[in-house]
Amino acid sequence: QVHLVESGGGLVQAGDSLRVSCANSGRTFSNYAMGWFRQAPGKEREFVASVSWSGVAKRYADSVKGRFTISRDSAKNTVYLQMNSLKPEDTAVYLCAAEGPAGWAYWGQGTQVTVSS
């Protein structure tokens, strides 16, 4: 079973940096692609970034490309999202997910990131 727990969210100012983490306390997730999504109040959940099971292939939403970096540490069963040059429009609940055969099958509960102007 995959059990994902996000941490590291908080309140920061525009231009600041923040790193959120997603730890899997269940079975190893080394065979899963991992992703970060976000959901702002009143908006649809949107894709932010993903990393392949090997850690080599990475994808980013255009809105975060060049500012956010996704990485994974399989030894620690953890995936990270380093967020730099944060903007107020980055404010959202950030959720991590593990990709199963049928898509993003496992989700964490999310961590709140708030960026003040």
Side-chain angles (χ1 to χ4, degrees):
Q1 185 70 14
V2 177
H3 183 228
L4 304 175
V5 179
E6 300 93 336
S7 62
L11 172 62
V12 297
Q13 294 186 332
D16 284 353
S17 297
L18 194 66
R19 189 179 78 164
V20 291
S21 303
C22 174
N24 175 26
S25 61
R27 60 186 293 183
T28 180
F29 69 178
S30 60
N31 292 332
Y32 296 90
M34 298 295 297
W36 283 98
F37 294 74
R38 67 187 182 186
Q39 188 164 20
K43 294 188 177 181
E44 296 287 322
R45 183 176 298 179
E46 64 173 351
F47 168 80
V48 176
S50 66
V51 59
S52 64
W53 66 270
S54 66
V56 174
K58 300 178 181 181
R59 291 194 303 121
Y60 297 94
D62 288 342
S63 58
V64 307
K65 204 170 292 183
R67 299 189 298 122
F68 290 11
T69 302
I70 189 171
S71 61
R72 66 188 300 164
D73 185 337
S74 294
K76 295 183 178 180
N77 242 7
T78 300
V79 62
Y80 305 97
L81 185 68
Q82 175 68 43
M83 303 181 288
N84 299 329
S85 301
L86 282 160
K87 304 175 181 179
E89 51 263 44
D90 294 319
T91 295
V93 174
Y94 283 72
L95 307 104
C96 72
E99 189 175 35
W104 298 104
Y106 307 98
W107 293 85
Q109 84 290 345
T111 185
Q112 176 70 46
V113 173
T114 302
V115 184
S116 64
S117 57

